[in-house]
Amino acid sequence: MKNIEKSTVLAPLFSLLEHLRISEETRQQIADKIEVRRVKSNSILLMPGNTCTHLYFVVSGGFVCRYFNENLEIPKTINFYLDDLHPFMACVDSYFSQQPSACELRAVRDSVVLSMSKKNLDAMMQSNPVLQGFYDTLVIQALVEENELKLKIISHNAEQLYQYLLDELPTVIQKVPSKYIAEFMGISAEWLSKVKRRKK
């Protein structure tokens, strides 16, 4: 990829890092280690059974994280990663333990992501406490947000859960296909259509 195009793609992440006072030297180190990937809609970035060895930043587009049972049947959407919602992406069940994941990362739109290996990121953080602090904050925020979604799934019925998405995560309704929203809510696509009609 041409340097000009790469710098354009890196701009959203680097703007965030600059705002957090990550030094220019560190930002350049990240640029040297980062890979730009273009992912077509419905392509799978990580398959169940594989180990999540990279952290991703969604520059444009979106993904769902889907959990599969032990027989790789009955997928269940458990999280959404969009350029304007949870842009930092990994399969949490695998990334930290470096064990095979029970999840997939599937693009729901044509997407561009930045990818950095855990190995490179860990090495950079060892010598950069500011970057380590940002990473720790990011991990805590991601875990809190994921836990909040799980609590809503457990405690809300379908109409309440859909209302929560409308109120708190409208970009999911706008950008994610109904199939995955229904999966997240634990209902059929037909039932989701009925819920939507009642909410109009």
Side-chain angles (χ1 to χ4, degrees), residues 68-199:
F68 285 75
N69 67 11
E70 59 276 5
N71 298 317
L72 297 181
E73 299 170 344
I74 318 172
K76 167 90 171 165
T77 295
I78 60 171
N79 213 339
F80 309 98
Y81 298 102
L82 304 169
D83 49 24
D84 56 353
L85 175 76
H86 310 152
F88 288 95
M89 175 174 71
C91 286
V92 176
D93 70 328
S94 173
Y95 182 80
F96 297 105
S97 67
Q98 288 299 281
Q99 298 297 313
S101 178
C103 300
E104 73 171 14
L105 293 175
R106 180 181 291 267
V108 294
R109 305 166 72 86
D110 287 346
S111 302
V112 176
V113 298
L114 304 177
S115 168
M116 180 179 279
S117 74
K118 184 178 187 297
K119 179 180 176 182
N120 285 336
L121 185 56
D122 288 349
M124 289 182 63
M125 287 190 299
Q126 283 183 356
S127 61
N128 192 316
V130 177
L131 186 60
Q132 177 73 62
F134 167 63
Y135 176 80
D136 291 345
T137 300
L138 184 70
V139 168
I140 291 168
Q141 181 181 342
L143 292 175
V144 167
E145 289 171 347
E146 188 167 315
N147 187 60
E148 186 174 346
L149 280 178
K150 287 177 181 175
L151 289 175
K152 294 294 188 268
I153 292 172
I154 292 168
S155 63
H156 286 24
N157 63 33
E159 291 200 15
Q160 291 170 328
L161 192 51
Y162 187 74
Q163 189 63 52
Y164 169 77
L165 293 176
L166 280 175
D167 293 341
E168 303 297 330
L169 306 173
T171 189
V172 170
I173 302 296
Q174 296 159 9
K175 295 183 177 181
V176 176
S178 293
K179 169 185 176 178
Y180 302 109
I181 295 173
E183 227 176 61
F184 172 77
M185 295 172 62
I187 60 177
S188 68
E190 293 76 14
W191 185 246
L192 176 59
S193 293
K194 292 178 182 178
V195 171
K196 285 181 175 181
R197 284 198 296 271
R198 285 200 290 268
K199 289 293 179 183

Side-chain angles (χ1 to χ4, degrees), residues 14-80:
F14 277 33
S15 176
L16 173 61
L17 294 177
E18 186 175 4
H19 176 72
L20 294 166
R21 295 189 171 89
I22 303 297
S23 71
E24 185 177 348
E25 179 184 358
T26 300
R27 296 198 304 269
Q28 187 55 53
Q29 289 174 354
I30 292 171
D32 292 341
K33 299 289 185 183
I34 217 159
E35 178 187 355
V36 180
R37 298 186 61 177
R38 299 187 181 280
V39 186
K40 290 286 188 186
S41 181
N42 212 37
S43 297
I44 299 174
L45 192 59
L46 183 79
M47 295 279 291
N50 291 347
T51 301
C52 185
T53 59
H54 286 69
L55 181 67
Y56 303 97
F57 179 82
V58 182
V59 176
S60 64
F63 292 78
V64 290
C65 180
R66 303 169 85 206
Y67 171 80
F68 285 75
N69 67 11
E70 59 276 5
N71 298 317
L72 297 181
E73 299 170 344
I74 318 172
K76 167 90 171 165
T77 295
I78 60 171
N79 213 339
F80 309 98

